[in-house]
Amino acid sequence: AQKITQTQPGMFVQEKEAVTLDCTYDTSDPSYGLFWYKQPSSGEMIFLIYQGSYDQQNATEGRYSLNFQKARKSANLVISASQLGDSAMYFCAMRETVAGGTSYGKLTFGQGTILTVHP
Amino acid sequence: EPEVTQTPSHQVTQMGQEVILRCVPISNHLYFYWYRQILGQKVEFLVSFYNNEISEKSEIFDDQFSVERPDGSNFTLKIRSTKLEDSAMYFCASRPGLAGGLDTQYFGPGTRLTVL
């Protein structure tokens, strides 16, 4: 089974509107972290936002917020007031704790969603 | 702002040749990683490195791959005998290693490896 599922291969949004990128995950680990990264066409991986499994509140970073629904195992990224520069591939990733409580921190990524912002 | 750096940005090699990809993680970070991304596909974990040894590796990371931290700053990935299917973007990443293990991992800009 996929640990991270991003069901939207591509999304389109008008400039200045909000968009939600979906991410669901599968883990039996009670302690885990969820991350979103942006990959522009230049190829680098840019960290956007992080949510810990024990965090009581949804994470926010500027125009990015994470809609974390633990019971549904979803961690959707919301981008408000989209800009042309937001056009990129977006990856959701999860880090679990290795059995025994040690986390070496490897990330498991989803397939990604290509976001295109139209003027 | 400190960042992870990688060299070269693009490497072209012939099948069967050895390549070494270089990374300089953020100083004072304790955990280092290599990932790869085949064109158009998702990012895949290769190996993690902590306290001068491999802490975890994936099934992709076979005997053809090795990692090394030869000095206090560089972190290298060596592919001994490259295959066509090794063509990919290779990312180095590092994280501080805060208690609880749920700290952010920062990625370098990547090295695009092309095997001909």
Side-chain angles (χ1 to χ4, degrees):
Chain A
Q2 294 285 336
K3 290 212 171 205
I4 295 283
T5 303
Q6 294 180 253
T7 56
Q8 308 152 314
M11 287 286 285
F12 296 89
V13 66
Q14 285 295 125
E15 195 178 7
K16 298 179 187 164
E17 293 188 350
V19 64
T20 298
L21 306 184
D22 294 342
C23 173
T24 57
Y25 59 92
D26 182 27
T27 182
S28 55
D29 190 343
S31 176
Y32 54 89
L34 296 155
F35 301 78
W36 278 91
Y37 288 85
K38 172 184 177 182
Q39 186 177 42
S41 56
S42 50
E44 70 266 34
M45 296 285 286
I46 302 167
F47 166 72
L48 295 178
I49 197 166
Y50 161 77
Q51 180 85 43
S53 58
Y54 292 121
D55 293 343
Q56 294 297 313
Q57 293 191 317
N58 286 346
T60 59
E61 288 285 348
R63 292 187 299 110
Y64 304 108
S65 60
L66 206 152
N67 184 2
F68 182 47
Q69 297 187 45
K70 195 170 181 177
R72 298 178 64 181
K73 294 189 175 177
S74 74
N76 299 338
L77 177 70
V78 181
I79 305 174
S80 62
S82 297
Q83 301 171 356
L84 296 178
D86 294 334
S87 294
M89 175 77 93
Y90 288 80
F91 287 101
C92 179
M94 177 172 65
R95 182 167 71 231
E96 299 167 283
T97 305
V98 171
T102 303
S103 174
Y104 298 120
K106 78 170 187 187
L107 295 178
T108 302
F109 285 82
Q111 294 282 10
T113 296
I114 299 175
L115 176 66
T116 304
V117 181
H118 289 304
Chain B
E1 188 175 321
E3 57 183 20
V4 178
T5 60
Q6 289 185 243
T7 53
S9 57
H10 192 186
Q11 173 124 22
V12 181
T13 189
Q14 295 290 326
M15 192 168 57
Q17 295 296 304
E18 174 184 286
V19 295
I20 297 176
L21 310 183
R22 291 183 165 77
C23 168
V24 179
I26 296 171
S27 65
N28 82 350
H29 281 197
L30 301 179
Y31 290 81
F32 314 114
Y33 306 86
W34 283 102
Y35 294 83
R36 80 171 185 192
Q37 184 184 28
I38 295 171
L39 188 63
Q41 298 187 22
K42 66 180 178 181
V43 179
E44 301 174 291
F45 167 77
L46 291 177
V47 65
S48 61
F49 193 84
Y50 170 70
N51 202 25
N52 281 320
E53 60 182 21
I54 291 173
S55 48
E56 192 175 2
K57 59 184 181 179
S58 72
E59 56 272 14
I60 302 169
F61 194 87
D62 61 21
D63 291 345
Q64 292 300 311
F65 291 89
S66 63
V67 289
E68 201 175 38
R69 188 155 160 84
D71 52 43
S73 58
N74 290 285
F75 179 51
T76 62
L77 174 69
K78 183 195 289 186
I79 309 175
R80 275 184 251 288
S81 178
T82 49
K83 308 185 194 76
L84 295 175
E85 54 265 36
D86 292 328
S87 294
M89 179 78 98
Y90 288 80
F91 291 103
C92 174
S94 71
R95 68 179 177 95
L98 301 176
L102 295 177
D103 47 339
T104 298
Q105 213 164 115
Y106 294 93
F107 282 71
T111 293
R112 183 166 296 286
L113 177 66
T114 302
V115 182
L116 302 175

